[in-house]
DNA sequence: TTGTACGCGTTATCAC
DNA sequence: GTGATAACGCGTACAA
């Protein structure tokens, strides 16, 4: 059924080595021999056997991506960056996901880790995953951690700098009361780092720290109306912020809806900026200024670092941070209305 | 560097076959031998060599997913379904993307097709792709087409049935003037099939066909304000629809924003239902009833069919359609206000 | 219960 | 220019 070098060779009455050389363009093959080979290879539908090739080279030319939930928690731009990075390195990309529970279960060795045709692993998980890390190490698989603040073998955005950019944005527009909405219950370092950056900038400008709008969105559903009461309460207070920095897209759309509901105009009564992996305007037509998380660059860097680790698995690599760019304006910022 | 069966064997003074048998739990291995093997295998960090295994078995145990743009046009639930399908079949998943131009270019043979460690391919492209199809066939790669209405080797949603569901939904609520918003310039069959289903149901109930709101959203950006004028114009006409079926999420959020802008209340003045891969409420907090495209089931079916084709590549498989479920209510439908 | 021999398809090496 | 041979790591088939 499958066509091999030998099939072609016997068909042509040459040795399989001649065929191999001809196919890879070795100049030490006679012009007409090469052409004959190329012709019959095409005719017979030859397809190089990647297993055999991998066996010789000792490499698959493939990286694996292990993520919590492929569905929703893998930002498109991260995928894009990783793919582009892989393409530049001439690598293939394999993906799999295991649940958080499985990742925490030291008795569960993912099929993926043991049997997948990959040279290295890129891991996207929030929080500590000792069990998973153990398994990976035990499998001697080079691994890079995505968006996790570790000292080695990790790549993550510079969230403190991101917070500073957001705060400066509002300070430059003349705001003096800035809020920080983090309605999701999450212990990812970005939540606190962004706030830290914001507060550093605010206090350096002689302003008071950001008013926090914490809430509890029911987990499981990305957006839940239960965060709304918190927002409504805060936005009705006389000392309410005139500008709001939102931890994520869900916070921002909730805030927008809350403002609408209270008859507050955006941006005249309330300016909004949100962190998100995509400009929010593009996602749901709401004109909200967005500080785009640099996932694309991050993804490329992850691929590069994993490849590097693949080439020399004996050394760890120092982690890298990725810088934020500029805020993408959609019209949700203006000066505060004097009150 | 890498540990092989032979390494373990010499270490223990046995043959590599004993090790192999012990590791795979062959009962014909002495209790204590097995334990010794398992111990040292763990200690030495043994990792089965997938290349060698694949070479023996003639299979990678991996399916490939080739899509236009990983970033935005691969719905999360499709990924989820495909992954789940693969897991059930004990298969790995590899992904890659090439641009539409590359897919149409007969001189461009994607690296992926030739060298990837995959047994079969799942292809997600809109429109005809003769060049790509040729390449795939030439590579003797079993392939299944995702969301493409072909007679063989394809899986796609029953869009006509979907249109019927949406139309019935409004008819049951007493609406008599129904609109269909397809602001995106796309020639995917779903655009017309949905409309066909809608019109079949409307005319069967003695109503006139759906008023069409076609527009031209600039390609490249998912949502462009340029679709807005069309909506605004249509919604101001005296015979405007009281209920709107939206082709996709972008159409729906645009429509919602347009209604807001005109002072029309949703749902009192305008009821809305949209096709989308996820409930729109979950994506951007806008309460819009959604007819969720059955991508998850579709993805599982795609994996199954591809696997089947992998096992017997000589036969084509008849395409399958996936049925729509119920509309997920978010509060954007009510009876029409009598005018 | 354990060991030996061979072959999977490819590429590197050396000989002609 | 071309061919013969060996080797990669594993599993099947058979022998001990």
């Amino acid at each position: 059924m499958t066509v091999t070098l030998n099939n072609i060779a016997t068909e042509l009455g040459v040795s399989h080595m001649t065929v191999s050389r001809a196919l890879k363009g070795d100049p030490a093959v006679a012009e007409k021999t090469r052409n004959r080979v190329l012709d019959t290879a095409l005719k017979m539908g030859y397809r190089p056997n990647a297993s055999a090739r991998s066996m010789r080279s000792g490499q698959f030319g493939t990286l694996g991506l292990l993520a919590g939930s492929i569905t929703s928690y893998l930002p498109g731009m991260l995928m894009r960056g990783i793919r582009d990075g892989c393409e530049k390195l001439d690598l293939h990309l394999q993906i799999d996901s295991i649940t958080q529970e499985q990742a925490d279960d030291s008795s569960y060795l993912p099929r993926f880790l043991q049997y997948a045709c990959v040279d290295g692993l890129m891991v996207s998980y929030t929080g500590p995953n000792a069990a998973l890390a153990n398994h990976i190490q035990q499998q001697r698989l080079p691994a890079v951690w995505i968006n996790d603040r570790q000292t080695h073998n990790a790549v993550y955005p510079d969230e403190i700098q991101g917070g500073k950019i957001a705060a400066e944005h509002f300070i430059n527009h003349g705001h003096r009361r800035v809020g920080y909405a983090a309605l999701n219950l999450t212990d990812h370092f970005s939540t606190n780092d962004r706030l830290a950056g914001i507060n550093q900038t605010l206090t350096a400008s002689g302003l008071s720290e950001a008013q926090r709008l914490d809430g509890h969105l029911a987990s499981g559903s990305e957006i839940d109306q239960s965060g709304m009461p918190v927002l409504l309460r805060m936005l009705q207070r006389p000392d309410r912020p005139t500008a709001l920095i939102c931890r994520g897209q869900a916070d921002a759309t909730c805030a927008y809806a809350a403002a609408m509901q209270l008859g507050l105009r955006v941006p005249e009564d309330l300016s909004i900026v949100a962190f998100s992996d995509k400009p929010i305007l593009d996602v749901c037509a709401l004109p909200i200024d967005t500080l785009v998380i640099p996932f694309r660059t991050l993804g490329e860097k992850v691929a590069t670092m994993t490849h590097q680790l693949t080439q020399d698995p004996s050394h760890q690599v120092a982690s890298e941070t990725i810088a934020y760019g500029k805020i993408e304006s959609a019209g949700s910022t203006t000066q505060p209305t004097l009150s």
Side-chain angles (χ1 to χ4, degrees), chain A residues 10-72:
Chain A
T10 48
E11 179 79 15
L12 261 58
V14 297
S15 92
H16 72 277
M17 275 317 298
T18 305
V19 179
S20 173
R21 282 193 266 255
L23 284 175
K24 77 158 115 153
D26 190 324
V29 177
E31 184 75 23
K32 41 189 175 180
T33 316
R34 176 182 9 270
N35 287 336
R36 283 208 309 150
V37 169
L38 260 49
D39 275 3
T40 43
L42 203 66
K43 210 163 295 169
M44 298 178 71
Y46 170 71
R47 174 155 211 273
N49 183 317
S51 314
R53 174 183 297 235
S54 300
M55 183 131 106
R56 286 287 317 160
S57 66
Q59 305 193 143
F60 291 102
T62 303
L63 299 185
L65 171 59
L66 186 60
S69 167
I70 287 177
T71 319
S72 47

Side-chain angles (χ1 to χ4, degrees), chain A residues 80 84 97 119 127 136 139 178 184 305 309:
Chain A
R80 174 79 168 268
D84 288 352
S97 69
D119 303 313
I136 291 175
Q139 294 288 321
V178 176
N184 270 304
M305 187 181 282
L309 223 53

Side-chain angles (χ1 to χ4, degrees), chain A residues 47-333:
Chain A
R47 174 155 211 273
N49 183 317
S51 314
R53 174 183 297 235
S54 300
M55 183 131 106
R56 286 287 317 160
S57 66
Q59 305 193 143
F60 291 102
T62 303
L63 299 185
L65 171 59
L66 186 60
S69 167
I70 287 177
T71 319
S72 47
Y73 298 124
L74 258 190
M77 277 303 162
L78 175 60
M79 285 296 302
R80 174 79 168 268
I82 289 176
R83 202 211 78 91
D84 288 352
C86 285
E87 179 168 34
K88 283 182 190 167
L89 296 163
D90 221 62
L91 295 170
H92 297 296
L93 177 60
Q94 196 159 128
I95 70 179
D96 199 11
S97 69
I98 56 174
T99 64
Q100 188 73 47
E101 293 76 47
Q102 291 172 325
D104 292 336
D105 180 359
S106 63
S107 69
Y108 179 80
L109 207 189
R111 211 172 30 103
F112 189 65
L113 290 190
Q114 212 171 163
Y115 297 115
C117 304
V118 298
D119 303 313
L121 218 54
M122 303 172 281
V123 185
S124 174
Y125 273 91
T126 60
N129 291 90
L132 182 59
N134 270 342
H135 276 137
I136 291 175
Q137 198 177 9
Q138 214 161 69
Q139 294 288 321
R140 306 274 195 281
L141 260 187
V144 167
W145 300 79
I146 299 172
N147 204 359
D148 203 358
R149 200 175 50 182
Q150 309 192 343
T151 56
H152 292 285
N153 298 0
V155 188
Y156 52 90
D158 189 343
E159 301 291 1
I160 295 185
Q161 179 229 6
K164 288 181 179 173
I165 290 177
E168 278 162 16
H169 174 74
F170 284 143
I171 290 177
N172 290 342
H173 277 83
H175 289 270
R176 305 189 57 79
R177 291 203 309 274
V178 176
Y180 178 64
L183 300 167
N184 270 304
L185 203 59
T186 169
D187 60 351
H188 193 252
F189 75 92
S190 58
T191 307
N192 293 325
D193 275 15
R194 286 173 192 169
L195 181 56
I198 292 167
N199 282 336
Q200 281 177 33
T201 300
L202 290 178
T203 53
S205 297
L207 303 178
S208 52
E209 294 200 338
Q211 197 173 343
R212 295 186 56 160
L213 286 75
D214 294 326
H216 297 264
L217 296 189
S219 68
S221 145
E222 272 185 76
I223 292 170
D224 191 296
Q225 302 299 348
S226 59
M228 196 60 99
V230 178
L231 280 164
L232 293 176
R233 220 176 309 123
M234 299 302 283
L235 290 179
Q236 285 177 295
R237 288 170 51 167
D239 63 339
R240 68 166 181 82
T242 59
L244 197 58
I245 299 172
C246 298
R247 199 214 157 275
Q249 180 185 317
D251 309 286
T253 50
C254 256
Y256 197 95
M260 291 268 212
Q261 202 167 318
L262 292 174
L264 295 175
R265 294 160 304 167
V266 176
E268 291 83 356
D269 302 316
L270 181 70
S271 289
I272 301 181
V273 152
F275 289 80
S276 180
D277 56 310
K278 273 196 268 186
I280 293 178
L281 178 64
D282 291 354
V283 178
C284 61
L286 292 180
I288 297 173
D289 298 347
T290 309
L291 184 47
V292 175
I293 306 168
F295 274 131
R296 187 158 175 189
T297 313
L298 192 146
E300 286 208 39
K301 184 69 212 173
V302 167
T304 312
M305 187 181 282
T306 309
H307 176 63
Q308 187 183 340
L309 223 53
T310 292
Q311 301 306 91
D312 178 11
S314 56
H315 294 358
Q316 286 195 323
V317 177
S319 295
E320 297 207 24
T321 59
I322 307 292
Y324 273 86
K326 289 187 179 167
I327 290 175
E328 298 230 6
S329 178
S332 68
T333 302

